[in-house]
Amino acid sequence: MRLLLIEDDAMIGEAVREVLRDVAYAADWVQDGETALACLEAQSYDLILLDLGLPDMDGMELLKKVRIRSDIPLIVLTARDAVEERIRGLDLGADDYLIKPFETGELLARIRAVCRRRGGSGSPLLSNGRITLNPATHEAVCGEVSCVLSAREFALLQALLVTPGRILSRSELENKIYGWNEEVESNAVEFLIHSLRRKFGADLIKNIRGVGWMVAGTS
Ligand code: CA
């Protein structure tokens, strides 16, 4: 999953980005609205975290602009705790609203909840009928085999399981795993797929030569 974090406060921005990267979200962090809009033109994201007090435009204005272009999941992070502000943010199209200061565990749980709702599922688990992944614990269960995946194994398998039956190219998979300034190790995708196949069986992830990789659709 690739996230865009829009937050002008350097301390909060850096801390949140680190938390996101620790749990294997590819997170890009920008500090103003114009840069955020440029990023949204250039790159596809799975979710936006938006601070309302930005130096060049009000976050509510940015939220309106984002909603004109796309229905990307969006959580507002703000110190503005007036109920009128919360209502306005939600009515402008925010999926959720988190008041600063917040616990990082709650932020991560809200990200999972928003993604789940947007995925059309009430279940906290991702599954294609063969393998089941728990985004809260990074535990994967496949038949008799159950184990906790490394952060990047989880990120790769999650990307495939969100769209079972769809082929993802190497660059699409790298996009879900690495944020800016994170060095993409060569063959990282092959390495992770090899490791997942060793754990859960060679036919879990199919390679379509020259195109990419996929997991089977829900059976
Ligand atoms: Ca701010």
Side-chain angles (χ1 to χ4, degrees), residues 167-200:
I167 303 164
L168 294 178
S169 69
R170 172 197 310 277
S171 70
E172 284 175 309
L173 286 169
E174 284 173 352
N175 258 326
K176 303 287 185 191
I177 304 173
Y178 296 99
W180 300 335
N181 315 323
E182 284 187 289
E183 200 185 331
V184 181
E185 301 118 20
S186 63
N187 295 327
V189 167
E190 280 88 350
F191 180 80
L192 293 169
I193 285 171
H194 178 72
S195 157
L196 288 165
R197 281 174 168 164
R198 257 193 13 214
K199 289 179 176 134
F200 303 110

Side-chain angles (χ1 to χ4, degrees), residues 7-9 51 53-54 100:
E7 166 63 76
D8 63 318
D9 183 289
D51 170 44
L54 295 172
K100 294 174 185 173

Side-chain angles (χ1 to χ4, degrees), residues 142-158:
C142 182
E144 301 287 294
V145 186
S146 153
C147 67
V148 174
L149 303 180
S150 75
R152 290 210 158 124
E153 285 171 349
F154 166 79
L156 185 139
L157 188 55
Q158 181 184 41

Side-chain angles (χ1 to χ4, degrees), residues 87-107:
I87 292 169
R88 188 159 163 248
L90 292 167
D91 281 343
L92 282 175
D95 292 274
D96 203 352
Y97 208 99
L98 193 55
I99 306 293
K100 294 174 185 173
F102 50 79
E103 293 286 331
T104 54
E106 182 176 3
L107 171 65

Side-chain angles (χ1 to χ4, degrees), residues 6 46-52 58-68 70-78 80 83-99 110-111 113-115 117-118:
I6 309 166
D46 300 294
L47 186 133
I48 297 173
L49 297 173
L50 172 65
D51 170 44
L52 291 183
D58 188 79
M60 294 284 191
E61 289 307 308
L62 182 56
L63 174 51
K64 273 191 216 163
K65 289 187 172 160
V66 168
R67 275 292 167 260
I68 289 168
S70 86
D71 64 350
I72 177 170
L74 185 148
I75 301 174
V76 167
L77 308 177
T78 183
R80 297 183 199 168
V83 68
E84 294 79 13
E85 287 279 315
R86 294 211 291 275
I87 292 169
R88 188 159 163 248
L90 292 167
D91 281 343
L92 282 175
D95 292 274
D96 203 352
Y97 208 99
L98 193 55
I99 306 293
R110 285 178 186 267
I111 291 172
V114 164
C115 291
R117 289 201 296 268
R118 287 303 201 93

